[in-house]
């Protein structure tokens, strides 16, 4: 079991990072929440990891916080929810928001997350109620609110935000519409700010 990776951050994207550990570069799948907490490329990064071995692949999933990894491990125990979908759920909604949906039996909101169908949403609500109530640290796992910069918003940030949302599974039209709405709320926001606002608006 690989429990943690620490090394130089070679590259980062909303869905994947590459970290060099003493000459060995690891590709690690991450949630958007963890992406927002990464340092700049070239700096040292540390991720708590979950290692998955399949017949056709060996995959590493990384999380900035232990609480997020804990919730991920709860998610993938649900029938029909694999690691990829578990990561998509954590990318489409912060942990506290997800728990509120489960507690409120709000399957309709969960369906808005790319990859989550009606049956899967209903199964999540049905199977996770008791498990999440025992998850003591959920309040610490939410996404931290970004600080809006005072400078003029650069057009490249909007383009990067749209590309990131498409990479997370949203359709280009959905991504464009959501980012445009986010720009109205935060005209001088960074790419990360816009992605966060866009995800919140779509949920």
């Amino acid at each position: 079991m690989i429990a943690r990776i620490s090394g130089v951050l070679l590259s980062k994207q909303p869905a994947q990072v590459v970290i060099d550990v003493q000459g060995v570069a690891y590709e690690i799948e991450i949630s958007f929440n963890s992406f927002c907490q990464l340092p700049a490329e070239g700096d040292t990064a540390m991720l708590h990891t979950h290692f998955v071995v399949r017949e056709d692949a060996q995959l590493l999933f990384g999380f900035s916080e232990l609480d997020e990894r804990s919730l991920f491990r709860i998610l993938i125990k649900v029938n029909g929810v694999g690691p990829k979908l578990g990561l998509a759920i954590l990318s489409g909604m912060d942990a506290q928001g997800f728990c509120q949906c489960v507690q409120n039996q709000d399957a309709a909101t969960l369906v808005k997350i790319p990859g989550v169908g009606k049956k899967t949403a209903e199964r999540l609500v049905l199977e996770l109620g008791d498990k999440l109530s025992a998850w003591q640290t959920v309040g610490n796992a939410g996404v931290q609110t970004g600080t809006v910069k005072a400078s003029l918003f650069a057009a490249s940030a909007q383009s990067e935000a749209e590309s990131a949302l498409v990479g997370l599974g949203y359709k280009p039209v959905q991504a464009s519409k959501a980012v445009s709405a986010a720009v109205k709320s935060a005209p001088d926001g960074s790419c990360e700010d816009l992605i966060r606002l866009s995800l919140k608006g779509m949920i």
Side-chain angles (χ1 to χ4, degrees):
M1 174 67 71
I2 300 175
R4 188 175 69 177
I5 292 288
S6 180
V8 178
L9 182 61
L10 298 182
S11 66
K12 63 176 182 177
Q13 300 176 3
Q16 186 183 77
V17 299
V18 178
I19 295 179
D20 181 285
V21 182
Q22 298 182 347
V24 179
Y26 292 87
E27 288 185 350
I28 306 173
E29 306 291 327
I30 60 171
S31 71
F32 174 69
N33 295 338
S34 291
F35 169 77
C36 289
Q37 299 182 53
L38 289 171
E41 293 180 358
D43 289 347
T44 298
M46 188 279 289
L47 291 173
H48 303 283
T49 57
H50 180 84
F51 187 43
V52 175
V53 178
R54 303 188 323 208
E55 291 184 1
D56 59 343
Q58 296 184 21
L59 304 172
L60 265 178
F61 297 87
F63 310 90
S64 294
E65 304 291 340
L66 280 171
D67 292 337
E68 188 180 27
R69 187 181 69 178
S70 176
L71 179 55
F72 172 81
R73 288 175 169 174
I74 291 173
L75 283 170
I76 61 176
K77 291 180 181 179
V78 175
N79 185 32
V81 178
K84 291 285 188 179
L85 182 53
L87 204 64
I89 291 171
L90 293 176
S91 294
M93 177 180 291
D94 65 65
Q96 190 166 4
F98 174 77
C99 291
Q100 288 176 348
C101 284
V102 171
Q103 291 168 359
N104 296 333
Q105 299 186 343
D106 185 7
T109 296
L110 296 178
V111 170
K112 297 179 182 179
I113 300 173
V116 179
K118 182 179 179 181
K119 290 184 178 180
T120 299
E122 292 174 346
R123 189 178 299 119
L124 287 167
V125 168
L126 180 64
E127 295 187 21
L128 294 184
D130 293 337
K131 294 180 180 179
L132 293 185
S133 63
W135 191 51
Q136 300 294 327
T137 55
V138 65
N140 297 323
V143 180
Q144 296 179 356
T145 302
T147 301
V148 178
K149 297 180 180 179
S151 60
L152 183 66
F153 170 69
S156 61
Q158 182 173 354
S159 177
E160 291 173 4
E162 291 179 7
S163 296
L165 289 175
V166 172
L168 290 173
Y170 291 94
K171 295 180 180 179
V173 174
Q174 288 179 300
S176 179
K177 184 177 179 180
V179 172
S180 294
V183 170
K184 293 179 180 179
S185 299
D188 51 358
S190 66
C191 174
E192 289 82 2
D193 292 330
L194 295 178
I195 298 173
R196 186 181 296 110
L197 287 170
S198 297
L199 289 170
K200 184 177 180 181
M202 285 189 284
I203 295 300

